[in-house]
Amino acid sequence: MIPLFTLERQNKILEKELNNAIKEVVDSGIFILGPKVAEFEEKFAKYLGVKYAVGVACGTDALSLALLAVGVGSGDEVILPANAYPTVFAVTAIGAVPKLVDIDPSSYNIDPAKIPQAITKKTKAIIPVHLYGQPSDMGEILKIGNKYGIPVVEDCAQAHGAEVGIQNDLVIPTKRSAWRNLSRMRESNSNKLRDPSTEFIPSEAEGLGMTSGQWEKVGGIGDIGCFSFYPTKNLGCFGDGGMVVTNNEDIYKKVRLLRMYGEKTRYNSVLLGRNSRLDELQAAILLVKLKYLGGWNERRRDIARSYELYKSTSCKWPYEAPYAKHVYHLFVIRTEKRDQLKEYLGKKGIQTAIHYPKPIHLQPSFKFLGYKKGDFPEAEKACEEILSLPMFPELTDGEVKRVVEAISQFSAIA
Ligand SMILES: Cc1ncc(COP(=O)(O)O)c(C=O)c1O
């Protein structure tokens, strides 16, 4: 059996380190907001190149607290892509109203061209979801955020370590950097995986805190970034966990208050907050794993290259946008014969999944939003055709080859 995802192999490799880390916390007797959380916040912020990080209970809470921190309240509208199934619950959890936008059919991320028509007087935030590990088109999204004065809250739950090429024609909210000539790169759009080191030319953005020609990790590009450490994520813990990151000190201070009853000092609440804390055990596990994240992401990209190398089928393979360094949280292909292919692969002992089978507006619980079938055709079509293939750093090249061979056999007979 080739699993879609498993932690077994990784846990075996890290067994000793993880056991030691867990024992250390147990022996310390400190379980909530102690030194491990503080150390992980510092190291994760450093890894991303952001100033501040706040550990919270899960990715959904990270998004809810981030929205509250940038001023979203009950009845306010929040723009997000129509296929962002997990994200939308963070919006409704704070009484805000999801305003859906269709996706770009190649990247599966929000289509920036369709955002302006969704903006109303009530719009208080835009959430680009870096789905499957590929950054959204942050250049275009930040232009819209800047033009309308709407904060951009990045959902990085599937994109730890994914990067965006810094360009020169746009002001980034907190770093005042600039982006350059994105259209030039769109022209060079191809279905190939690129070598990021050869793509960009340094320019005047240097000295502004970001350097054009370099790559910036997602999370610190918008006003605020949100991560999940759910066990299957590129960086995952052994339970639930999340993180909010930002370069804005005011936002940082507000999230710190919000995660623990709004307390400025113990039992002195100055803001209506909640209890949403990352715990010491999870932070200790994440500290062990963070050291390997870069290597794991490179391995995921290698696996994507292997898939690419072997592919010889009629399926549509994932596309990496020219401005993006994809970290392949999921390797999602697309075919009109998706259900038959899924069944065929299952019979061959290859596990697959669908992320996600139904867009938000067709979920019974979101009927109240008043959307109908046909409102977001690209998202609807994608949900019918997408299929996630096995993808995790310990997957072997031999297993990748077997998956692609099985897909080729299917293509020959279907
Ligand atoms: C894109 C996206 N956003 C938000 C979340 C929510 O994260 P969590 O499960 O940690 O609450 C997830 C996790 O499934 C996700 O994949």
Side-chain angles (χ1 to χ4, degrees):
M1 159 77 128
I2 302 178
L4 175 78
F5 173 85
T6 177
L7 275 173
E8 260 174 50
R9 301 178 195 182
Q10 187 180 103
N11 286 349
K12 202 94 214 122
I13 298 165
L14 298 180
E15 190 174 3
K16 226 170 152 184
E17 265 191 277
L18 288 167
N19 283 342
N20 288 343
I22 292 166
K23 186 171 182 317
E24 203 188 318
V25 173
V26 173
D27 289 349
S28 78
I30 301 169
F31 296 101
I32 299 289
L33 294 188
K36 293 291 178 195
V37 171
E39 186 184 343
F40 179 61
E41 286 172 341
E42 194 191 318
K43 289 195 168 148
F44 193 58
K46 199 168 170 202
Y47 168 78
L48 296 176
V50 295
K51 281 192 186 154
Y52 309 107
V54 186
V56 297
C58 62
T60 308
D61 276 8
L63 285 158
S64 288
L65 298 188
L67 290 170
L68 290 169
V70 299
V72 178
S74 183
D76 289 337
E77 290 176 1
V78 175
I79 288 175
L80 74 162
N83 60 346
Y85 177 77
T87 316
V88 70
F89 296 97
V91 177
T92 48
I94 60 163
V97 182
K99 195 81 189 196
L100 304 180
V101 167
D102 211 353
I103 58 164
D104 174 316
S106 300
S107 68
Y108 307 110
N109 283 328
I110 195 165
D111 183 346
K114 295 183 178 142
I115 294 176
Q117 63 219 48
I119 294 174
T120 71
K121 281 193 177 120
K122 289 185 175 173
T123 308
K124 291 288 159 50
I126 301 169
I127 308 184
V129 180
H130 307 311
L131 203 67
Y132 308 147
Q134 163 135 262
S136 303
D137 188 347
M138 291 304 288
E140 291 303 309
I141 293 164
L142 286 181
K143 269 187 205 164
I144 296 164
N146 289 342
K147 180 172 172 193
Y148 294 90
I150 302 170
V152 174
V153 177
E154 293 179 71
D155 182 344
C156 314
Q158 300 190 2
H160 313 68
E163 294 178 10
V164 175
I166 299 307
Q167 299 300 297
N168 213 8
D169 62 350
L170 183 70
V171 175
I172 287 185
T174 47
K175 290 202 174 180
R176 305 269 152 214
S177 185
W179 296 54
R180 152 185 167 136
N181 199 6
L182 213 51
S183 51
R184 178 171 58 79
M185 290 190 311
R186 288 220 181 76
E187 281 162 22
S188 69
N189 214 343
S190 77
N191 214 13
K192 295 265 180 305
L193 287 162
R194 295 163 297 98
D195 174 5
S197 60
T198 61
E199 280 281 316
F200 294 97
I201 312 143
S203 77
E204 312 90 75
E206 263 176 277
L208 289 169
M210 275 182 173
T211 308
S212 180
Q214 288 193 346
W215 292 78
E216 193 76 12
K217 290 195 174 66
V218 298
I221 297 169
D223 294 84
I224 188 163
C226 304
F227 289 84
S228 163
F229 302 121
Y230 183 79
T232 61
K233 301 302 188 202
N234 287 30
L235 179 64
C237 57
F238 286 177
D240 277 313
M243 188 76 88
V244 179
V245 303
T246 183
N247 289 300
N248 182 313
E249 193 179 357
D250 293 337
I251 291 176
Y252 161 69
K253 284 182 176 162
K254 209 161 167 195
V255 176
R256 294 257 315 182
L257 290 175
L258 287 168
R259 83 165 159 187
M260 195 164 140
Y261 314 129
E263 287 184 356
K264 200 164 184 189
T265 52
R266 196 70 174 122
Y267 305 125
N268 173 33
S269 172
V270 295
L271 187 71
L272 283 181
R274 63 168 78 168
N275 167 8
S276 180
R277 301 171 298 218
L278 183 67
D279 68 63
E280 285 286 284
L281 276 170
Q282 303 308 338
I285 288 157
L286 289 163
L287 274 167
V288 170
K289 292 194 177 189
L290 180 59
K291 298 188 297 244
Y292 301 99
L293 177 60
W296 287 336
N297 281 343
E298 282 313 315
R299 175 64 193 148
R300 284 175 184 272
R301 289 178 60 77
D302 280 350
I303 291 169
R305 280 192 196 97
S306 299
Y307 268 128
E308 171 100 1
L309 205 68
Y310 296 129
K311 93 174 159 180
S312 60
T313 73
S314 53
C315 297
K316 188 169 175 275
W317 239 233
Y319 150 91
E320 186 178 48
Y323 49 78
K325 184 175 174 189
H326 200 318
V327 291
Y328 296 96
H329 171 59
L330 294 168
F331 190 87
V332 178
I333 62 167
R334 187 167 178 164
T335 165
E336 284 171 9
K337 294 177 183 156
R338 189 267 312 277
D339 293 338
Q340 296 99 299
L341 176 60
K342 185 169 183 4
E343 196 185 334
Y344 183 85
L345 293 178
K347 283 189 184 142
K348 294 263 171 194
I350 297 164
Q351 206 180 27
T352 57
I354 300 164
H355 298 93
Y356 301 93
K358 221 192 266 182
I360 295 163
H361 65 294
L362 302 183
Q363 297 283 348
S365 58
F366 286 96
K367 219 172 159 184
F368 75 96
L369 291 176
Y371 295 115
K372 58 182 187 316
K373 195 164 170 39
D375 282 349
F376 306 103
E378 296 298 353
E380 289 172 23
K381 198 158 186 286
C383 286
E384 284 166 11
E385 297 181 356
I386 50 175
L387 188 66
S388 306
L389 300 184
M391 172 57 89
F392 50 96
E394 299 76 19
L395 192 69
T396 66
D397 288 346
E399 286 172 322
V400 171
K401 194 160 183 260
R402 272 176 54 203
V403 173
V404 184
E405 276 168 3
I407 296 173
S408 298
Q409 285 158 13
F410 172 82
S411 300
I413 57 171

